[in-house]
Amino acid sequence: MQIVTISGSIRTTSLNRALLIELGRIIPAPHQVHMLEIADLPHYSEDHEAPAPAAVTAFRTAIQNADALVIATPEYNHGYPGTLKNALDWASRPYGRGALSGKHVAVIGGGGGTGGIRAQVQLRQVLNGCGCHVLPRPELAVRFHEAFKDGVLVDPKVSEMLGRIGDALIAQASRG
Ligand SMILES: Cc1cc2nc3c(=O)[nH]c(=O)nc-3n(C[C@H](O)[C@H](O)[C@H](O)COP(=O)(O)O)c2cc1C
């Protein structure tokens, strides 16, 4: 199974990115995990949908070729980042033929005291609107100040949850 991952945070030392790197280590072969970058996507404009910029076409193709996605999002001001929304808007088009339609998607993430759960709730709603099959559970909202020390994941329960989410996503995607 081909699984692509997307971090809603584009900073180099992002802890959401770190969660996805850990997930990539945990998901066993022969499944393949590949992280997509969203930092270089231009601002969405309907003027540039077709032909789309090269970075957008590559992003859409990678999603189209994937069997499942995992998105890790931070919480910015009680929502998920605009950078991630921009990427999803590109991937959702052209209308009726968007790359996200019918994809199996797991949502994870982290943040402060609430673990960024408000961002995940918003993100799940938008993914439903894009025609995705969002994995209902297990859920994972990581309190970063507890789970990471100096940028390193130190909470084994988080790794265990990542493994369970990977298994559940693969099982859901296998059922079609
Ligand atoms: C603009 C901005 C807004 C933020 N708002 C929230 C918030 O509403 N809730 C929260 O839990 N954390 C908030 N944070 C803290 C982030 O969750 C924290 O920086 C997190 O580590 C970012 O994810 P990253 O490590 O993947 O970049 C905010 C951070 C920024 C930069």
Side-chain angles (χ1 to χ4, degrees):
M1 199 159 278
Q2 296 281 345
I3 300 168
V4 299
T5 62
I6 298 171
S7 171
S9 168
I10 60 173
R11 73 186 183 104
T12 43
T13 54
S14 159
L15 300 180
N16 282 284
R17 179 184 294 271
L19 289 178
L20 293 174
I21 292 169
E22 176 73 358
L23 181 81
R25 286 197 200 100
I26 290 170
I27 289 182
H31 305 296
Q32 295 188 337
V33 182
H34 173 63
M35 194 180 296
L36 300 183
E37 299 298 334
I38 61 173
D40 293 334
L41 296 174
H43 287 160
Y44 173 80
S45 167
E46 205 167 346
D47 289 341
H48 302 300
E49 266 196 10
V56 170
T57 303
F59 182 67
R60 285 174 171 163
T61 302
I63 292 175
Q64 262 155 4
N65 292 340
D67 299 295
L69 280 76
V70 181
I71 303 177
T73 186
E75 183 170 290
Y76 284 179
N77 299 310
H78 297 193
Y80 69 94
T83 317
L84 178 56
K85 182 65 160 61
N86 185 59
L88 297 177
D89 288 340
W90 276 121
S92 72
R93 304 292 288 183
Y95 181 72
R97 292 183 289 119
L100 286 166
S101 184
K103 291 294 169 191
H104 297 275
V105 186
V107 172
I108 62 172
T114 66
I117 195 68
R118 290 166 291 212
Q120 292 191 39
V121 170
Q122 282 189 353
L123 179 55
R124 284 168 182 268
Q125 181 183 339
V126 169
L127 291 170
N128 284 330
C130 294
C132 296
H133 304 299
V134 182
L135 185 75
R137 65 189 74 80
E139 293 178 293
L140 179 61
V142 180
R143 289 151 65 100
F144 282 149
H145 54 288
E146 294 172 356
F148 283 83
K149 287 262 181 317
D150 299 324
V152 177
L153 181 61
V154 293
D155 185 347
K157 290 198 292 297
V158 172
S159 298
E160 186 201 324
M161 285 305 296
L162 287 169
R164 286 176 53 191
I165 288 165
D167 290 346
L169 180 65
I170 290 165
Q172 178 178 299
S174 301
R175 291 192 293 272

